Amino acid sequence: MKRFYVVLVLAVAIALALAVGISKHPGYVLITYPHVLHYESGLWSTLVALFAVGLLIYLLRVLLSLVLTSGGVVNP
């Protein structure tokens, strides 16, 4: 139970540090490719989006490996 409280306190501290960082340094991202792409957003929302895309790719790879592995097993 003590371990849970330590993890909870660390999670709250990390969230607080991120909130302070976001409020002090909002940042700005502008990505342009002529006549094709124009993306502008805040730095933190871009980082969250990149993290979400990376997590989605990872989960799809794990799911695909599970499907391919389970398809190769023959039950006797």
Side-chain angles (χ1 to χ4, degrees):
M1 194 67 169
K2 288 181 183 180
R3 187 178 302 167
F4 173 74
Y5 289 131
V6 170
V7 170
L8 184 64
V9 168
L10 285 174
V12 169
I14 290 171
L16 182 63
L18 280 173
V20 169
I22 289 171
S23 67
K24 288 190 177 207
H25 306 288
Y28 182 73
V29 174
L30 174 63
I31 300 172
T32 59
Y33 191 78
H35 308 292
V36 177
L37 174 70
H38 180 80
Y39 174 78
E40 57 183 302
S41 178
L43 173 66
W44 297 103
S45 59
T46 302
L47 290 176
V48 168
L50 285 174
F51 177 76
V53 168
L55 183 64
L56 180 68
I57 290 172
Y58 173 75
L59 290 176
L60 285 174
R61 289 182 68 195
V62 167
L63 182 64
L64 187 62
S65 69
L66 285 174
V67 168
L68 292 177
T69 302
S70 66
V73 176
V74 177
N75 291 331

